[in-house]
Amino acid sequence: MSPRSTRRAAAVAATAAFTLLVTASPAAAVPPPELVHSEPVTMGTTTLTASFTDWPLRADRSLDFTFEPAGGIKGHVGKLKVLSPNGESTLLGISARLAGGNEMTLPRHPRDYNVWGLDAVALPEEGTWRFEFTVQGPKGTSTGTLALPVGSRPGPSSTLSWTVGLLPWMLAVPLLAYRWSRSRLVRRQIASDWSG
């Protein structure tokens, strides 16, 4: 191998190592979610701790959930069924929608692999939501339910928000239509002047 090709191979290896270090560092630097409230869920003879990054819960407000059975998640499988205030089964999060069905297997939280969790999920309506848990582990299967009160959506009503958001377009569309019709008239005059 010539000295030139050896230097080239070393440069390629150094570039690859640098790229791995640069891309791996941000992923490792992502902190776990900052939990502000926890609720214990009785699961027969054991408990599960449900924690939240926002409290009190509000409709349409994105937050993270974490779920941790006593003793940790190692050797356990967790399932979650979410019931909306009107009693319908609802799927939360992308992984739940991909799995299908009305009960989801709890994934590890993407920013804290030591617990199960849902990342950036919003409960779409106010009322009392029910989270029904099933945890299978070495000591058997246990179940529990957590009732979560969810308040009204923060901020103005969606009708007012849409009206304010569309107001500039309501003003701009007539103005643009007027300008377009005026430019069309000018183009016709220019075309008639050129034709003779």
Side-chain angles (χ1 to χ4, degrees):
M1 204 174 195
S2 70
R4 186 173 184 181
S5 61
T6 304
R7 279 185 293 205
R8 184 174 292 150
V12 168
T15 303
F18 178 74
T19 302
L20 283 173
L21 285 174
V22 168
T23 57
S25 296
V30 176
E34 185 180 327
L35 304 171
V36 298
H37 183 76
S38 295
E39 291 280 330
V41 181
T42 304
M43 308 277 294
T45 59
T46 185
T47 59
L48 176 135
T49 303
S51 301
F52 313 91
T53 56
D54 195 16
W55 193 264
L57 300 182
R58 304 292 292 256
D60 278 340
R61 184 110 182 230
S62 184
L63 71 151
D64 288 10
F65 296 94
T66 65
F67 310 107
E68 184 175 14
I73 64 172
K74 188 174 183 180
H76 293 85
V77 174
K79 300 216 180 251
L80 172 64
K81 183 176 183 180
V82 180
L83 300 172
S84 67
N86 60 13
E88 292 181 15
S89 181
T90 306
L91 296 176
L92 299 176
I94 293 172
S95 57
R97 287 183 175 82
L98 293 175
N102 63 356
E103 185 178 56
M104 67 177 288
T105 301
L106 286 169
R108 290 176 185 248
H109 193 281
R111 289 184 286 137
D112 187 356
Y113 290 150
N114 298 319
V115 294
W116 296 316
L118 302 172
D119 183 39
V121 171
L123 300 172
E125 59 185 275
E126 68 177 290
T128 301
W129 288 73
R130 287 173 33 103
F131 282 35
E132 297 179 351
F133 298 96
T134 304
V135 177
Q136 300 166 344
K139 296 181 180 177
T141 301
S142 56
T143 60
T145 301
L146 174 64
L148 288 174
V150 176
S152 62
R153 188 169 91 70
S157 69
S158 58
T159 305
L160 179 61
S161 298
W162 276 98
T163 303
V164 170
L166 291 175
L167 189 61
W169 288 105
M170 288 182 218
L171 299 173
V173 167
L175 179 64
L176 290 172
Y178 172 75
R179 298 289 295 190
W180 180 76
S181 67
R182 292 281 297 153
S183 68
R184 206 167 133 205
L185 181 63
V186 170
R187 283 193 307 258
R188 281 188 187 160
Q189 286 177 344
I190 292 172
S192 67
D193 288 347
W194 278 95
S195 62

